[in-house]
Amino acid sequence: MKIETLSVDFSDEQKRYLEGFTTGLQISRVGRGLGGGSKANAEPTGPEAAHIKAQDKVVAAGKKLADMEKVKREEHPFDAYPRLRQQALDDKPPSPADNFRWRYYGLFYVAPAQDSYMCRLRIPNGIVKHWQFAGLADLAEQLCGPFCHVTTRANLQVREIPFKNSAALIEGIQDLGLCSRGSGADNIRNVTGTPTAGIDPQEILDTRAYAREWHYHILNDRSLTGLPRKFNVAFDGAGKIAVLEDTNDIAFSAVEVKDGFGVEPGVWFRLGLGGITGHRDFAKYGDIIVKPADATKVSDAIVRAYIDTGDRTNRQKSRLKYVLDAMGHDKFLELVEARLGQAFTRVPAEALAPRPAFDRMAHIGVHMQKQQGLNWIGVALPLGKVTCEQMRGLAKIAQDLGDGDIRLTVWQNLLIPGVRDENVELAIAAIKAVGLAVEASQIRAGLIACTGNAGCKFAASNTKLHAAAIGDWCEPRVNIETPLNIHLTGCHHSCAQHYISDIGLIGARVPVGEEDTVEGYHLFAGGGFGPNADVGQEVFHDLKAEDAPQAVERLLKAYLAHRSSPDETFLSFARRHDGETLRRLADAEVSS
């Protein structure tokens, strides 16, 4: 159909209508196969039907679909793999549309930061076998940069992938029994769970089976791809190491339900919805509890309600949080209940027994397991980076001295579980022999950084470089004996969760003179997670990167000088003051 240009002066509203009208015709033609003899009003069918119907509603309302929605509709990424393979054979970069599509396979074209791909895996509950870990090291050494990064979703990613190696890498990952499918773009991302699941002496519930079930449910149902935006789900079994489940779209927190409240006593999940701390919000917990066996069914219903209601016009406002803000939790939950065919189980807060506290250093060093005579050893990785040689060494240690597993944490490090008491010192010596450590100061143990602008086009600063500088500068100058997290994130996506850290820094271009800018940060303090969940307050604005180490040093010295007692944590200290007061106290300190 061709619409002739009319010599009429339309109003802005009329122009928007025509734009939406013609765009809708074009999208319908592509999405439903119109123009080739198909029925114009055919009902969408197949795994993309719900997504097409949601897009149709947008167009019918005279609104404009976001560009990525058009890309998905024009050609589903999982139908385009032959072209990805051909691009690899031709050693060519992707088009902008294919750059988005290939993220469905876990591939991210990271130009202009690097003229190459990054690939992110899917590792449910963060657990890999020693032979998979070693195999990934061999694969990375052959096809990528010779290292891996542990991410803040207890996952692995490889970088510096030439275009010609992209398909071979994806297929090589699958050869190892691992997967990168759906780890990027508008999909349900890596499923996190308690890293010490099944071995933690204080856990309420072993999360492995639930994370695994949800993982395979996603992989084997194409209708759960192509959501309005990315989606995160986490399972916390109340072990010693925090999972940060309250930063996820769906949070399942294991709780002990007491007798006498009209429901079966025992272990349930408490349901939280809408976490997205980069947008300054945590998952909201009401009075809903879910039987662990029903977690996948409930998650599926929530995701499908989100497919129908998520914003497909503005990608900055398309996460579940914004559906809940606009619709209200109660109305959204009614949609979920309708899909489930039953009402949620609800109990008052007093029906829940107190959960055990996290140990903020349990991801580093030696810790006794619930199995007598066995231990997990937390290995400190420098800002999540591990070389291929170190990976093979760690895999050998896990095979010979542990139970054969390697467990990743959201704190950008890994655990070697199942080490017998008599082998602990041998394992520590072997870990040191590959150039890693099992000890870390409070500053180092909680130092987290995203990829930064060395490998991400969105980042404003080189976060890993600057985080290392902060650690190098502050560690010998400030003796911190209480838990401390320092997180650096490069952009508003907040991959390193800067808002929930004791000290959080977000990358910024800092003005210098009238026209120039340099790399820098806005610095926040007093963020927390779990029982202490809250967003930090800004202390320093437009802090040049070169000045960040000294600024953190002075802030920590102000804490030591003004804390109420030797036992007061930095978090408590920071929350006793507003941002301006913290800045004045820090400015009064002298950097050494």
Side-chain angles (χ1 to χ4, degrees):
M1 174 187 290
K2 182 177 180 182
I3 298 178
E4 300 293 341
T5 303
L6 302 177
S7 56
V8 179
D9 290 329
F10 291 113
S11 69
D12 288 342
E13 184 176 354
Q14 289 170 324
K15 289 176 182 178
R16 284 195 296 271
Y17 169 78
L18 278 178
E19 182 183 42
F21 175 74
T22 55
T23 299
L25 288 177
Q26 292 165 357
I27 289 173
S28 295
R29 183 181 300 277
V30 173
R32 299 182 185 177
L34 303 185
S38 301
K39 294 181 180 179
N41 295 319
E43 181 78 5
T45 60
E48 279 74 62
H51 303 277
I52 293 171
K53 289 178 182 178
Q55 292 168 337
D56 286 346
K57 290 179 184 177
V58 172
V59 175
K63 298 179 182 179
K64 186 177 180 180
L65 289 172
D67 289 342
M68 295 302 97
E69 290 296 315
K70 299 174 188 176
V71 169
K72 288 184 287 188
R73 184 150 179 169
E74 288 166 359
E75 182 182 30
H76 194 285
F78 289 155
D79 294 333
Y81 191 69
R83 189 166 65 257
L84 170 59
R85 296 194 87 257
Q86 187 60 51
Q87 287 177 10
L89 289 171
D90 296 339
D91 197 19
K92 290 183 177 179
S95 66
D98 281 346
N99 179 25
F100 177 78
R101 290 189 181 100
W102 301 161
R103 296 177 190 183
Y104 277 58
Y105 299 96
L107 282 175
F108 294 70
Y109 180 40
V110 295
Q114 296 171 343
D115 193 28
S116 60
Y117 286 114
M118 176 270 283
C119 184
R120 183 183 298 144
L121 277 66
R122 294 189 74 92
I123 303 175
N125 216 116
I127 301 176
V128 295
K129 299 297 183 184
H130 65 87
W131 54 269
Q132 292 174 318
F133 201 63
L136 186 62
D138 293 342
L139 199 63
E141 201 164 59
Q142 178 186 356
L143 301 175
C144 319
F147 61 91
C148 279
H149 282 145
V150 178
T151 77
T152 53
R153 288 203 65 76
N155 200 357
L156 289 170
Q157 61 185 26
V158 293
R159 309 192 69 85
E160 300 174 12
I161 307 160
F163 310 125
K164 63 182 179 181
N165 291 344
S166 56
L169 177 68
I170 291 172
E171 293 166 7
I173 288 169
Q174 292 175 342
D175 286 340
L176 292 169
L178 296 171
C179 176
S180 61
R181 191 178 179 92
S183 61
D186 299 346
N187 298 303
I188 304 165
R189 302 298 182 82
N190 190 50
V191 185
T192 54
T194 298
T196 52
I199 64 173
D200 198 309
Q202 76 170 37
E203 72 179 356
I204 297 174
L205 184 68
D206 182 343
T207 61
R208 289 175 294 181
Y210 309 104
R212 184 178 185 274
E213 180 182 322
W214 179 235
H215 167 80
Y216 283 108
H217 183 79
I218 297 163
L219 290 183
N220 291 297
D221 191 335
R222 179 162 154 167
S223 67
L224 294 175
T225 65
L227 311 183
R229 203 65 166 84
K230 72 175 183 177
F231 203 93
N232 293 325
V233 181
F235 298 84
D236 188 291
K240 288 188 174 183
I241 302 176
V243 181
L244 302 180
E245 76 278 12
D246 53 3
T247 67
N248 288 253
D249 296 277
I250 301 177
F252 288 109
S253 303
V255 291
E256 187 82 36
V257 177
K258 294 182 284 188
D259 199 1
F261 289 90
V263 300
E264 179 184 352
V267 177
W268 294 65
F269 280 128
R270 190 181 183 198
L271 179 66
L273 292 177
I276 175 174
T277 53
H279 294 227
R280 303 188 180 214
D281 215 349
F282 291 87
K284 299 289 194 304
Y285 292 92
D287 54 1
I288 294 174
I289 56 174
V290 175
K291 287 187 176 181
D294 293 336
T296 289
K297 180 171 65 174
V298 169
S299 297
D300 182 273
I302 292 169
V303 171
R304 294 188 191 280
Y306 170 60
I307 288 171
D308 292 344
T309 57
D311 191 330
R312 295 180 185 262
T313 67
N314 180 357
R315 292 179 65 79
Q316 300 305 313
K317 300 289 185 180
S318 54
R319 292 288 296 274
L320 178 62
K321 162 191 159 56
Y322 293 103
V323 174
L324 298 170
D325 286 350
M327 182 181 294
H329 281 245
D330 290 342
K331 187 174 180 181
F332 181 80
L333 289 169
E334 288 176 6
L335 296 179
V336 177
E337 288 177 325
R339 287 191 169 274
L340 288 171
Q342 63 187 61
F344 279 116
T345 302
R346 300 171 184 265
V347 296
E350 56 267 27
L352 308 180
R355 281 164 52 93
F358 301 127
D359 178 350
R360 290 177 63 178
M361 289 294 285
H363 64 293
I364 299 292
V366 180
H367 300 268
M368 291 187 296
Q369 298 181 189
K370 65 166 62 174
Q371 295 84 6
Q372 186 173 1
L374 297 181
N375 307 269
W376 77 76
I377 301 178
V379 181
L381 303 179
L383 297 167
K385 186 175 182 178
V386 57
T387 68
C388 293
E389 182 179 359
Q390 289 170 335
M391 290 173 71
R392 285 188 287 267
L394 292 168
K396 181 67 172 170
I397 295 166
Q399 178 184 16
D400 294 345
L401 302 176
D403 62 14
D405 284 348
I406 289 174
R407 300 180 176 222
L408 311 174
T409 84
V410 299
W411 307 107
Q412 292 188 318
N413 79 315
L414 58 83
L415 316 177
I416 297 178
V419 180
R420 299 191 65 80
D421 290 343
E422 61 269 24
N423 288 331
V424 166
E425 292 304 321
L426 178 60
I428 291 173
I431 290 167
K432 290 181 178 178
V434 300
L436 296 170
V438 300
E439 306 95 5
S441 66
Q442 296 284 0
I443 289 174
R444 293 282 186 189
L447 188 59
I448 306 293
C450 70
T451 298
N453 63 13
C456 176
K457 67 179 180 180
F458 298 110
S461 298
N462 192 331
T463 52
K464 287 194 182 292
L465 177 68
H466 300 146
I470 289 172
D472 291 343
W473 179 266
C474 291
E475 192 173 44
R477 289 174 171 82
V478 189
N479 183 24
I480 299 294
E481 297 177 347
T482 54
L484 182 73
N485 279 83
I486 303 174
H487 295 195
L488 284 78
T489 197
C491 73
H492 65 281
H493 291 121
S494 191
C495 293
Q497 310 263 28
H498 66 286
Y499 281 129
I500 68 167
S501 179
D502 295 283
I503 298 175
L505 298 92
I506 182 170
R509 298 300 302 183
V510 175
V512 177
E514 294 184 1
E515 297 182 359
D516 293 336
T517 63
V518 296
E519 292 183 17
Y521 296 90
H522 307 317
L523 185 150
F524 294 77
F529 54 89
N532 297 312
D534 203 355
V535 171
Q537 56 186 328
E538 188 172 273
V539 178
F540 292 106
H541 192 80
D542 283 351
L543 181 68
K544 290 191 289 186
E546 64 186 55
D547 297 331
Q550 291 84 359
V552 174
E553 175 203 5
R554 294 195 306 272
L555 185 56
L556 293 176
K557 284 183 173 178
Y559 154 62
L560 294 177
H562 299 281
R563 58 185 174 179
S564 60
S565 73
D567 295 329
E568 185 180 31
T569 64
F570 180 89
L571 177 62
S572 176
F573 162 78
R575 290 185 177 177
R576 286 197 293 108
H577 305 285
D578 59 28
E580 182 179 352
T581 301
L582 290 172
R583 184 171 59 254
R584 287 202 311 269
L585 292 174
D587 287 343
E589 296 294 327
V590 177
S591 179
S592 56

